[in-house]
Amino acid sequence: MSKQSNITVLDHPVVSRDLSILRDKTTDIVEFRTAMARVATILAYTSLKELPLQETSIETPITQTRGYRIDTDIIVVPILRAGLTLVDAIMNFIPDAKVGHLGMYRDETTHEPVDYYSNLPDGISDGLVLLVDPMLATGGSADDAIGYLKKQGAKQIRFTSLISAPEGIQRITEKYPDVSIITAAVDKNLNDDAFIVPGLGDAGDRYFGTT
Ligand code: PRP
């Protein structure tokens, strides 16, 4: 794993193998979903690093010892639709995490995000907000989502993506230096249609079986 300023890029053979499965255009929907689930688990684990802990006292069958509980509320916020692919992995680690939804799609011509839905739980100003979307391309969607979450009071935000373009990373790190980014890969660039190169195509379409 490499960490530069507030960006963490996964570096693990299992992730390299699964990213290859996800990028391959001949991968079918079953393989795509299972590979996504595996990488999502590692992304979730990494996104949950450095959480505040509260000490507790527990009794093992042998003796009394120190235990820990996570001392912050966690709110997962997927950017619909594709962000849904990363939610279950976080909920597996944090079964009481609340989930907020932000509906956004990228206009195919302007490449600008279009908002169509928002439903956030109470408490986003006090907890850690994990914003998730597998693709960080121009960064327009993440930029809008982070701006909205901040306006709603969020103070601690981490953004988790599967594949990121340098353009998106630059936009988010420059505008929101307090938001850390966790990603499995930083790709080369964007093409004229603002698709990530080499990327994997449209994550939402491939995961949900739409075109
Ligand atoms: C994709 C992706 C991100 C966005 C990334 O969503 O899941 O939300 O585009 O692009 P950006 O960084 O340039 O904003 P899409 O519009 O395909 O919607 P979907 O999730 O419903 O498939």
Side-chain angles (χ1 to χ4, degrees), residues 68-150:
Y68 299 94
R69 58 177 290 277
I70 292 172
D71 197 19
T72 183
D73 289 334
I74 293 181
I75 302 102
V76 190
V77 179
I79 300 178
L80 305 180
R81 290 171 309 168
L84 292 173
T85 61
L86 303 176
V87 174
D88 283 356
I90 296 170
M91 289 202 294
N92 285 341
F93 285 118
I94 312 289
D96 65 347
K98 292 180 182 170
V99 182
H101 294 85
L102 293 181
M104 239 175 236
Y105 69 87
R106 201 173 66 165
D107 183 282
E108 284 177 10
T109 315
T110 64
H111 308 139
E112 290 296 321
V114 180
D115 306 347
Y116 62 86
Y117 184 71
S118 122
N119 187 336
L120 297 176
D122 290 338
I124 68 160
S125 40
D126 303 320
L128 170 65
V129 178
L130 297 179
L131 178 66
V132 297
D133 189 329
M135 309 305 278
L136 176 63
T138 66
S141 306
D143 185 347
D144 260 28
I146 294 167
Y148 180 74
L149 290 168
K150 282 179 176 274

Side-chain angles (χ1 to χ4, degrees), residues 30-80:
V30 175
E31 267 191 296
F32 191 89
R33 286 176 175 169
T34 50
M36 183 71 101
R38 285 191 296 266
V39 185
T41 299
I42 302 172
L43 281 169
Y45 170 81
T46 308
S47 304
L48 291 165
K49 281 198 166 181
E50 291 159 25
L51 295 185
L53 291 175
Q54 188 181 57
E55 283 191 14
T56 61
S57 175
I58 52 172
E59 283 203 26
T60 75
I62 311 298
T63 186
Q64 188 159 348
T65 188
R66 191 184 301 165
Y68 299 94
R69 58 177 290 277
I70 292 172
D71 197 19
T72 183
D73 289 334
I74 293 181
I75 302 102
V76 190
V77 179
I79 300 178
L80 305 180

